[in-house]
Structures are given as structure tokens and as C-alpha cells.
Amino acid sequence: ARRRWPAFDPATAGTYRGFGLLNQYLVDTPGAARSAHPDASMVALGPLAQVLIEPHRLDQALDRGSPLERFVERGGKVLLFGAALDSVTVLHYAEAIADIPGKRRVTCEMPLLGPNGETVWARADNFDSNGILDCFAIDGQPDAIETIAKAYVALGRHREGWVGNAHCHLFDARDIVAYGVSYLEQRFGRQSGSPVSETP
């Protein structure tokens, strides 16, 4: 089965259906630039597109050095266009940079496109975006992204409204990331006194 698995090619790959039609539309837009990370590829449009998406190393999926970091540093805005609050991808960057013990990691191999068009398998080690701490990886319970985003929305430091039938949220990336880092460090940091297994 591994021999038949296609190499990830950012020029031709589609998107995961669960990400919706807007993602596929952006990927298919002429001039769109897409990063080469098979598991966490990002797409960008406009004059900063290449700067935002390159480089995107396998071991920096959503961490320092990733497109998310450059997006935050450049004052990006996050628009949830009818998406749920568990979809604020930039908060994975907050998870990665927060100084908290016991962060979960995952290691996997991914098929890349080699220089001669061949499939090359490469190993990557990243923070677990499905549950940064054990307490956020319980089936049926909110993960860190949803937990932090709901707490942030309760503060009213964002904008929200309707576009057609879509309930939308607009966040300042720097602000929500800073809030996310603070949220995690205050509750789960080395000085917090809280056990890592605490339920948020």
C-alpha cells in the first residue's frame, strides 16, 4: 500500500474535503502559492504569498519558522467564514510556542515529491495538533483550540457578524495568539501549580 501512496505535490494536490469549498477555491485560484508541507500545507494569495509560505519545513508544521509565525508577525487577520470556533488554526501556533510541560508530539512519515518526480518518504516530528495536552485529547471534549477561542470570544476583543447565512468571526492574529499563549501558560505552565491532566 505504501508504494501506491502518491507523493504530495503542492501544484496539483487538492484539499481535505472537511476544510470546505473555500479552501479548494483558494488553492485553485490563479497565482495562489501553496507550501510544500504534506500535512499542514498553507495557501496564500497576493504580493506576500511566497514570503508567507516558504519555507515550510516538515518539523515546523505549525511551530516557529512556519507560515503561521510569519502570518502573525505581519499582522494577519483571521476570518472564520461560517466555521466553528474549533477551526482557529493560528491557535496551533500558540500551542507550539507556549511554555508548558507535557506537550504531546507525533512522529510520522510523509510522501514527498523527489527532484526527479519520484516519491521520497521523509520523517517529521511535530506537536500534536489533535491534542497538545492529554486533557485536550479526550474524545467528545473540546480541544485547546476550541477552549481558547471560546474564552477569547467571551472577552469581546474580536468582531463578528453575518455574511449571508454564515456567522463570521474576525480576529487579530497577534492578539489571539498572545491570549492563547497566556491562557495555556497560566493554567498549565511550570509555575501554575496546576497538574497537566487538569480539565480546563
Side-chain angles (χ1 to χ4, degrees):
R2 179 170 159 142
R3 284 194 299 265
R4 294 192 302 273
W5 197 272
F8 178 76
D9 182 354
T12 61
T15 64
Y16 172 62
R17 283 187 179 187
F19 290 166
L21 293 174
L22 180 58
N23 281 34
Q24 189 63 56
Y25 173 79
L26 293 173
V27 165
D28 293 339
T29 299
R34 188 173 185 182
S35 70
H37 198 292
D39 188 49
S41 74
M42 308 276 169
V43 64
L45 296 164
L48 292 177
Q50 289 301 132
V51 171
L52 287 169
I53 61 127
E54 292 180 356
H56 198 178
R57 292 178 29 184
L58 288 183
D59 59 349
Q60 293 175 330
L62 307 167
D63 202 343
R64 294 193 190 278
S66 72
L68 286 181
E69 180 177 65
R70 293 187 291 279
F71 176 74
V72 170
E73 287 175 346
R74 284 167 175 75
K77 306 287 186 218
V78 176
L79 174 63
L80 294 186
F81 191 70
L85 289 175
D86 63 358
S87 306
V88 188
T89 303
V90 76
L91 284 174
H92 286 307
Y93 174 63
E95 291 178 323
I97 66 173
D99 184 15
I100 53 176
K103 288 199 269 189
R104 293 158 45 106
R105 297 191 72 89
V106 291
T107 301
C108 62
E109 290 188 324
M110 295 180 256
L112 304 178
L113 198 61
N116 299 314
E118 76 279 17
T119 298
V120 178
W121 286 83
R123 181 177 295 269
D125 180 70
N126 285 289
F127 289 113
D128 188 349
S129 61
N130 291 317
I132 195 66
L133 297 172
D134 289 344
C135 64
F136 290 119
I138 301 168
D139 284 342
Q141 297 297 314
D143 65 2
I145 303 307
E146 182 178 357
T147 302
I148 294 166
K150 283 182 174 179
Y152 183 82
V153 164
L155 298 175
R157 287 165 31 182
H158 68 296
R159 297 181 67 185
E160 66 181 283
W162 291 86
V163 177
N165 291 327
H167 185 207
C168 302
H169 294 81
L170 181 66
F171 305 120
D172 177 85
R174 276 191 191 131
D175 193 53
I176 196 169
V177 164
Y179 176 80
V181 169
S182 176
Y183 184 98
L184 291 169
E185 290 181 350
Q186 286 177 12
R187 287 160 179 80
F188 306 102
R190 298 174 200 288
Q191 305 302 318
S192 70
S194 299
V196 172
S197 60
E198 174 184 328
T199 301

